Amino acid sequence: MSSSTTTKGGRASSLSTGVESPGRAAVGARTLRTDRWWLQPAATFAFLSAWVIYATVRVCVHNSYWVAKDHYLTPFYSPCLTKSCTPDSALFGRPFPNFPIIIPFAILTLIFLLGFRMTCYYYRKAYYRSFWGSPPACAVAEPHKKYTGETRFPLLVQNSHRYFFYAAGLISVINTIDLVESYRYGLGLGNIIMLVNVLGLWAYTASCHSCRSLMGGRLNHFSKHPIRYRLWTQVTKLNGKHMELALGTLVTLAVTDGYIALVAAGAFADPRIIS
Ligand code: FES
């Protein structure tokens, strides 16, 4: 099998790579693992697929996204920017005309959020393994004959992750403004669910590898930069939970959206603690 690999200088060479490359043990079987190695990629595939289907349907239905009485706006529609948005839900105005049904009201932010998650180090590992089988698990040969990694288009764009990080930080600010705005109208179960979601989103964003690099990168001596060292230490602790935060925030996003959708549709009233 002939394919390319990356040299020390970052350029692709024509050396053979992969499990059949020279010097590797000739193992006929795809893997010698006897445990249920396929379970994790299969579960990841099912979870991410279900979430994407749910999110796609929700951002395209264009209803049940805003609870006027309690001022709850689902994160899937924040910020609501088109003329179709209920005026009170559009905290940042409605500069765009009506969108066709397949275009989400919050298209501008959703593009950046999608970019942020798609280029995230954890998600890359998750979907490379579970959707592309590249490789499906440790010590399991991948089905592809060629591997060029992320050195060429289209996967080269994964390197844009640090820019999406800044955009995601800005969008977390917008989610926080939505949350603060909702507290001006009292306190209910919905506020608490939104709070958990916003805290999760901040923790996920702060645990990003780009954030860690921003805090502690390009320094020769931590001792000369005690504040950055302290920030880097805290981000490093969060970074160790990056996978959990990446998956957990998908859950909190869906729960927040689902709860607001049900209240907005009149399925039940939001239990109020302070009206
Ligand atoms: Fe996952 Fe940056 S590495 S969000």
Side-chain angles (χ1 to χ4, degrees), residues 52-258:
V52 168
I53 291 168
Y54 172 82
T56 305
V57 170
R58 277 295 295 147
V59 298
C60 290
V61 293
H62 292 186
N63 64 39
S64 303
Y65 60 88
W66 166 248
V67 180
K69 186 167 88 52
D70 307 318
H71 274 239
Y72 294 159
L73 176 64
T74 163
F76 287 1
Y77 283 74
S78 175
C80 215
L81 294 172
T82 87
K83 294 270 182 291
S84 307
C85 297
T86 306
D88 285 351
S89 72
L91 272 184
F92 301 90
R94 299 185 297 167
F96 294 104
N98 295 331
F99 285 166
I101 191 76
I102 54 166
I103 308 287
F105 285 178
I107 183 72
L108 278 191
T109 44
L110 291 179
I111 286 174
F112 288 105
L113 285 179
L114 189 65
F116 184 52
R117 299 248 172 186
M118 289 292 287
T119 58
C120 163
Y121 290 19
Y122 163 69
Y123 286 108
R124 274 142 80 171
K125 176 184 134 186
Y127 67 79
Y128 286 177
R129 289 189 171 191
S130 57
F131 285 77
W132 297 346
S134 181
C138 290
V140 180
E142 64 173 281
H144 306 97
K145 294 286 178 207
K146 227 172 124 183
Y147 177 75
T148 55
E150 295 172 343
T151 59
R152 292 185 190 173
F153 185 80
L155 293 185
L156 188 63
V157 297
Q158 303 283 29
N159 293 303
S160 60
H161 182 66
R162 75 196 74 167
Y163 304 111
F164 284 118
F165 162 74
Y166 297 119
L170 203 59
I171 294 165
S172 289
V173 171
I174 292 171
N175 290 141
T176 307
I177 292 172
D178 290 338
L179 175 69
V180 172
E181 184 67 14
S182 74
Y183 276 92
R184 291 180 53 212
Y185 295 83
L187 177 63
L189 180 57
N191 300 91
I192 296 169
I193 292 172
M194 287 170 74
L195 173 65
V196 171
N197 180 53
V198 166
L199 289 176
L201 291 177
W202 274 116
Y204 169 60
T205 307
S207 72
C208 172
H209 293 66
S210 294
C211 182
R212 185 167 176 264
S213 169
L214 190 68
M215 295 303 157
R218 295 173 181 270
L219 294 181
N220 288 330
H221 307 285
F222 269 140
S223 57
K224 291 185 182 163
H225 303 273
I227 295 176
R228 286 187 67 183
Y229 174 66
R230 198 168 170 74
L231 290 171
W232 177 83
T233 309
Q234 298 306 318
V235 169
T236 298
K237 281 185 200 157
L238 268 182
N239 184 258
K241 299 281 177 205
H242 195 58
M243 179 186 80
E244 290 84 347
L245 290 166
L247 294 175
T249 47
L250 290 187
V251 174
T252 61
L253 278 165
V255 168
T256 306
D257 175 76

